[in-house]
Amino acid sequence: MGRSGPTVGVALVNWNACEFTISCIESLLSGRVIPNHIVVVDNGSKDDSVCQITRRFGGVIMVRKAENIGFAAATNEGIDILLQKNVDYIWILNNDTRVDTTCLSILLEMAKKHPAAAGFSGKVFVDSAERFIWYGGAVRNFFHLAPKHLLTECRDGAAVDGVVKVEFISGCCLFAPALILRQYGGFVPEYIAYSEDSEWCWRVTKAGGVLLYVPSAHLWHKVSASVRKNADGRSAEDRIPAYCLYLMIRNHLWTIRAREDRTIRRWIGLGTTVLVQAKNLVWYLVRHRPDLMRRAAHGIADGLIRPTPCSSCGPR
């Protein structure tokens, strides 16, 4: 790996899913422009992921964790290694993505055109359906303040110089100048997973940073593939998805409390989120899912009462 011009490092997190990570790395190495460094943080895998990845890709930097420390903290470790390498740009990718051969070259071209931007994302398609869009830009809901992916090309026509300004870019594909990650920090590690990208985007835009969607940079995403794979063979209560539900609710409430300064908007966001989850609690009751009821209720309580950890993530 390596090339002339601006240097790029890729941060990937693997968790018992080397087949996805291998496919992602292969797509990166098949690009017209190849990253200078690829860091894989293995999050306590119990399979032979580390051996398979290192045997196949000798140039990849592998970090092996003894246990799963969460997507946010593991990604931060990858970011820190790449910052130590003094790369110009850091590309955070989900390991279950495949990038188009032109994806990185287009992102670099847009970064050159828009040097003041804080972050970029390409157009993300669902891997199982070539032209089904998973992310085509995003908006933040007026009431509950959660980001909503746009699933059509409705914003593509608004592109100016190849980009569209957005409020949110997914951690599935987050391409940022290294100096931005040094200035604002990475993800909040206490989030573990879910909403860590929403909080980061809100943190950056609140400080005046601009986030840009690049319609011509394409990649494909096996949505929630690692979670589904690691849930196989679990009990009927589906413990991992239930825990994911807890994290989704808690982390979003934390984000509203930490990042929305306008009192009325904060209360509208918190109230709407709680009302939506209260409706879901009734649905879980009807579906005889006490595990989901417990996790959702716990997520609401912790999200509203526990101190938010967002201030713990600062310059790196």
Side-chain angles (χ1 to χ4, degrees):
M1 288 175 284
R3 54 185 179 76
S4 60
T7 54
V8 177
V10 176
L12 301 172
V13 176
N14 179 77
W15 179 39
N16 295 321
C18 63
E19 67 273 29
F20 304 145
T21 305
I22 288 170
S23 175
C24 180
I25 296 172
E26 286 177 340
S27 72
L28 289 165
L29 298 181
S30 298
R32 291 184 184 175
V33 175
I34 298 173
N36 297 80
H37 304 284
I38 298 175
V39 177
V40 177
V41 180
D42 184 77
N43 233 351
S45 294
K46 305 303 181 186
D47 60 9
D48 62 345
S49 284
V50 173
C51 291
Q52 288 206 43
I53 294 169
T54 53
R55 185 167 58 242
R56 193 161 188 139
F57 308 105
V60 166
I61 302 168
M62 175 65 71
V63 179
R64 186 169 192 172
K65 309 303 294 183
E67 58 184 9
N68 190 329
I69 62 173
F71 174 79
T75 300
N76 286 349
E77 289 212 18
I79 291 170
D80 287 340
I81 291 170
L82 293 170
L83 290 177
Q84 292 169 21
K85 296 287 185 182
N86 290 315
V87 297
D88 298 306
Y89 296 96
I90 293 177
W91 195 6
I92 298 168
L93 283 172
N94 275 18
N95 72 314
D96 56 1
T97 57
R98 292 184 299 111
V99 303
D100 186 76
T101 55
T102 62
C103 190
L104 180 53
S105 59
I106 291 172
L107 289 173
L108 281 169
E109 179 187 354
M110 293 303 108
K112 183 179 179 180
K113 281 187 176 181
H114 306 275
F120 303 81
S121 178
K123 181 185 294 180
V124 186
F125 296 93
V126 177
D127 191 80
S128 59
E130 284 294 294
R131 301 303 300 178
F132 187 85
I133 296 174
W134 182 77
Y135 174 93
V139 295
R140 200 170 285 278
N141 184 275
F142 178 81
F143 294 103
H144 55 64
L145 301 177
K148 174 181 174 57
H149 291 200
L150 300 175
L151 306 181
T152 68
E153 297 178 339
C154 61
R155 295 299 301 278
D156 292 16
V160 177
D161 285 336
V163 298
V164 183
K165 183 179 178 181
V166 291
E167 297 176 283
F168 167 82
I169 54 180
S170 171
C172 166
C173 172
L174 196 165
F175 185 84
L179 62 87
I180 291 295
L181 289 162
R182 289 188 190 278
Q183 180 177 357
Y184 296 107
F187 297 145
V188 178
E190 292 86 351
Y191 272 43
I192 301 175
Y194 301 103
S195 286
E196 74 289 328
D197 48 5
S198 174
E199 189 280 330
W200 187 89
C201 291
W202 205 335
R203 187 194 326 156
V204 170
T205 55
K206 186 178 175 180
V210 174
L211 304 176
L212 299 175
Y213 159 56
V214 183
S216 59
H218 295 174
L219 62 155
W220 292 265
H221 179 30
K222 296 180 176 67
V223 183
S224 299
S226 290
V227 171
R228 289 198 305 271
K229 179 179 178 181
N230 283 282
D232 288 347
R234 299 278 172 165
S235 69
E237 289 195 343
D238 297 328
R239 291 173 188 152
I240 292 178
Y243 183 54
C244 291
L245 175 65
Y246 162 77
L247 293 176
M248 290 175 189
I249 297 169
R250 183 198 67 179
N251 295 352
H252 179 55
L253 291 170
W254 273 352
T255 302
I256 295 172
R257 289 171 55 202
R259 299 301 169 204
E260 180 52 80
D261 292 331
R262 296 167 294 180
T263 302
I264 293 177
R265 293 294 300 126
R266 186 189 311 121
W267 283 110
I268 290 174
L270 293 172
T272 304
T273 300
V274 171
L275 284 174
V276 169
Q277 296 306 324
K279 181 190 73 172
N280 290 339
L281 285 171
V282 174
W283 176 244
Y284 303 146
L285 176 63
V286 171
R287 297 282 295 182
H288 304 290
R289 291 300 303 269
D291 57 320
L292 296 181
M293 289 184 63
R294 287 193 299 269
R295 287 295 194 177
H298 193 190
I300 293 170
D302 283 355
L304 292 175
I305 297 171
R306 286 181 58 185
T308 66
C310 297
S311 60
S312 68
C313 211
R316 307 186 81 75

